[in-house]
Amino acid sequence: MDERVDDDRARGLDAAHEAALRFLDSLDDRPVWPRASLDDMLTAFGGPLPDHGCDTADVIEEIASRADPGLVAIPGGRFYGFVIGGTHPAALAADWLVSAWDQNSGSASLTPTTVAMERVAGQWMLDLLDLPDTSSVGFVTGGQMANFTCLATARNAVFARAGWDLAERGLRGSPPLRFVVGADRHGSIDRAARFLGIGRADLTVIESDDHGRMRADALRAALADRSGPLIVCLQAGEVHTGAFDDFTSLIPIAHEHGAWVHVDGAFGLWAAASASLRSLTAGMDQADSWATDAHKTLNVPYDCGMAIVRDPADSIAAFRTGGDYLIYTSLDPWDVTPELSRRARGVPAWAALRSLGRNGVASLMDRLHDNAVAMAEGLASIEGIDVVNEVVYTQVMFRLASDDATRDLGAAILAEGTAAVTGAEWRGRSALRCSMSSWVTTQHDIDRTLDAIRGLVAG
């Protein structure tokens, strides 16, 4: 290879390595929330495309210096917004290798190394979560696409059971499909349904209890004397309260009526890896598909969702393509997800699981839960703050006496910079939501966060 190419590549990677370490080393001290707006960043990176190129290492330095004010300290210990994990060191390093290898990981024949690593990672995960070990595991971008992938498989399967070949005949004239969801489902379920041609008016919405769990009596009543293609969506980890649906009650009711049962477990599926939290997922293994998001609770880099289907034949029926130039094995990655070409996003999951081991994954889940309990107890000790939910998993929701005061506190926390929490609406009231998702968070991080919030409330 041309020496100039080797030199350009090496200097670019060295510059990226140094910039990455500078950013990671800054996490403990830098404001958690960005200090620049989108317009600021458009100005920093915008302007006309230059006529002449630039040295690779200089480009990387330019990116790093201009980007810094607009970066979020997500990999640090005091980012509690949305439900976003940090990045485990082994997973981060493996992700760098994935980019260097540049393997198109849709085909086992083309890229056997990365496909094998993904398949093993999937098997390890099924074992950890006590899900059927013959299930297919498709690696997708995140929880949204994991839900979409599973629900597309479900739609194809329930139509097939009703004698309708969706791939051949399409949707025109098809039997009516009932799509049953909980009142406190995540928005990605509705969005996935919309992608599949199922509108809001087509949803059968089941009442939930005060914690956001679907009510078994309401499901039974809604399904009484009903027949035809049916999908029921349940939830492992309500995004505000962290509550889990009662799978031992709900799944049998759904199956009595011939339903395909899907579980949205974007962050909650991983509770099954912990002996102390496993009861939350009791009965979950009886569903037909499950979706999760490894960049949340397992702490791998974006993007790494997992779409899990009990019977791989259902995945193949929904997704196998027909290109005469493609080479097939018994089960290729492109057989179980919508993508053909993609990066080897499952390799960082393999690295995280291999680095942590069974006990390490369990300890991580326990630590996230313990951190949530500690944060809730600390918040409850601050005069004027009300912790809204029972902390069963990783989510803490709190508010002040009025909605305006709650929203103002949320804005003040982001502006002050010590930590990041994000706003929510729960039962018609404003709230702030704190999600414990990062392996980095320590008691010291929690104490610093509580001190900052206490000062803001008092001030």
Side-chain angles (χ1 to χ4, degrees):
M1 184 176 290
D2 192 315
E3 289 183 4
R4 290 172 299 175
V5 174
D6 281 344
D7 182 61
D8 200 37
R9 178 181 289 157
R11 288 187 304 103
L13 290 173
D14 285 345
H17 179 228
E18 291 172 6
L21 290 179
R22 287 198 303 270
F23 172 69
L24 295 173
D25 288 344
S26 76
L27 290 171
D28 197 47
D29 298 318
R30 68 185 294 130
V32 176
W33 204 246
R35 288 301 178 255
S37 67
L38 174 61
D39 285 343
D40 293 333
M41 289 295 98
L42 288 171
T43 299
F45 288 102
L49 177 65
D51 291 331
H52 302 289
C54 183
D55 177 78
T56 298
D58 291 341
V59 169
I60 299 303
E61 287 295 343
E62 185 177 325
I63 291 172
S65 61
R66 295 186 185 184
D68 196 72
L71 296 177
V72 193
I74 289 174
R78 296 185 303 283
F79 183 87
Y80 313 113
F82 305 101
V83 187
I84 299 177
T87 305
H88 189 276
L92 172 60
D95 201 53
W96 287 9
L97 277 180
V98 167
S99 293
W101 291 344
D102 194 26
Q103 304 289 286
N104 184 343
S105 297
S107 165
S109 298
L110 176 63
T111 53
T113 292
T114 56
V115 172
M117 293 178 74
E118 289 191 347
R119 189 171 297 180
V120 171
Q123 287 296 314
W124 285 349
M125 186 190 68
L126 295 174
D127 181 34
L128 276 171
L129 306 186
D130 198 26
L131 297 177
D133 61 8
T134 55
S135 300
S136 66
V137 180
F139 287 86
V140 292
T141 55
Q144 174 68 78
M145 284 306 296
N147 279 322
F148 169 79
T149 300
C150 290
L151 292 172
T153 306
R155 183 186 63 173
N156 192 77
V158 297
F159 275 131
R161 293 172 190 171
W164 187 269
D165 186 341
L166 188 62
E168 180 66 27
R169 304 173 71 180
L171 286 170
R172 181 176 297 178
S174 63
L177 170 65
R178 293 200 70 202
F179 193 79
V180 179
V181 297
D184 289 294
R185 67 202 176 276
H186 191 269
S188 63
I189 294 295
D190 292 42
R191 196 161 178 250
R194 189 167 77 245
F195 297 163
L196 294 168
I198 303 166
R200 284 189 295 271
D202 296 322
L203 303 180
T204 299
V205 180
I206 308 300
E207 296 175 28
S208 55
D209 65 15
D210 290 342
H211 301 282
R213 298 172 295 214
M214 184 184 288
R215 287 176 43 194
D217 59 335
L219 178 65
R220 186 178 294 281
L223 298 186
D225 301 322
R226 304 283 181 163
S227 59
L230 174 64
I231 299 172
V232 174
C233 293
L234 304 180
Q235 188 165 228
E238 203 282 330
V239 75
H240 300 86
T241 68
F244 288 63
D245 281 338
D246 181 359
F247 304 114
T248 57
S249 298
L250 295 165
I251 292 178
I253 295 170
H255 280 164
E256 283 174 19
H257 295 271
W260 177 292
V261 178
H262 171 65
V263 176
D264 173 16
F267 65 100
L269 230 62
W270 295 91
S274 160
S276 62
L277 298 170
R278 192 171 299 141
S279 61
L280 295 170
T281 64
M284 181 181 73
D285 61 310
Q286 297 304 306
D288 301 287
S289 61
W290 307 262
T292 192
D293 218 348
H295 73 249
K296 297 184 186 298
T297 315
L298 187 60
N299 280 231
V300 305
Y302 280 96
D303 48 60
C304 192
M306 299 172 182
I308 309 161
V309 174
R310 175 181 289 275
D311 188 348
D314 289 324
S315 297
I316 291 171
F319 290 112
R320 175 164 282 182
T321 188
D324 57 9
Y325 67 96
L326 300 176
I327 303 170
Y328 291 95
T329 62
S330 58
L331 188 66
D332 284 287
W334 56 32
D335 288 330
V336 298
T337 74
E339 296 172 307
L340 288 178
S341 300
R342 65 167 176 85
R343 75 195 307 271
R345 60 173 61 98
V347 170
W350 186 96
L353 291 168
R354 179 65 183 88
S355 180
L356 289 165
R358 182 184 303 275
N359 293 338
V361 175
S363 295
L364 174 58
M365 301 309 117
D366 291 339
R367 188 163 72 252
L368 297 180
H369 172 64
D370 290 344
N371 284 345
V373 171
M375 180 66 81
E377 291 175 349
L379 288 167
S381 72
I382 299 174
E383 186 175 356
I385 286 184
D386 176 33
V387 175
V388 178
N389 64 308
E390 177 188 355
V391 180
V392 297
Y393 190 41
T394 58
Q395 305 300 96
V396 182
M397 189 165 47
F398 63 101
R399 63 165 63 112
L400 295 178
S402 73
D403 287 354
D404 286 344
T406 299
R407 287 190 288 266
D408 288 346
L409 176 60
I413 292 171
L414 298 182
E416 191 272 342
T418 297
V421 301
T422 46
E425 295 287 326
W426 180 252
R427 300 298 188 256
R429 292 279 313 279
S430 291
L432 298 173
R433 197 183 66 202
C434 174
S435 177
M436 287 296 178
S437 303
S438 178
W439 72 281
V440 180
T441 302
T442 64
Q443 184 62 49
H444 179 62
D445 289 311
I446 295 170
D447 291 341
R448 283 181 63 180
T449 301
L450 292 169
D451 286 344
I453 294 176
R454 188 176 290 109
L456 292 169
V457 172

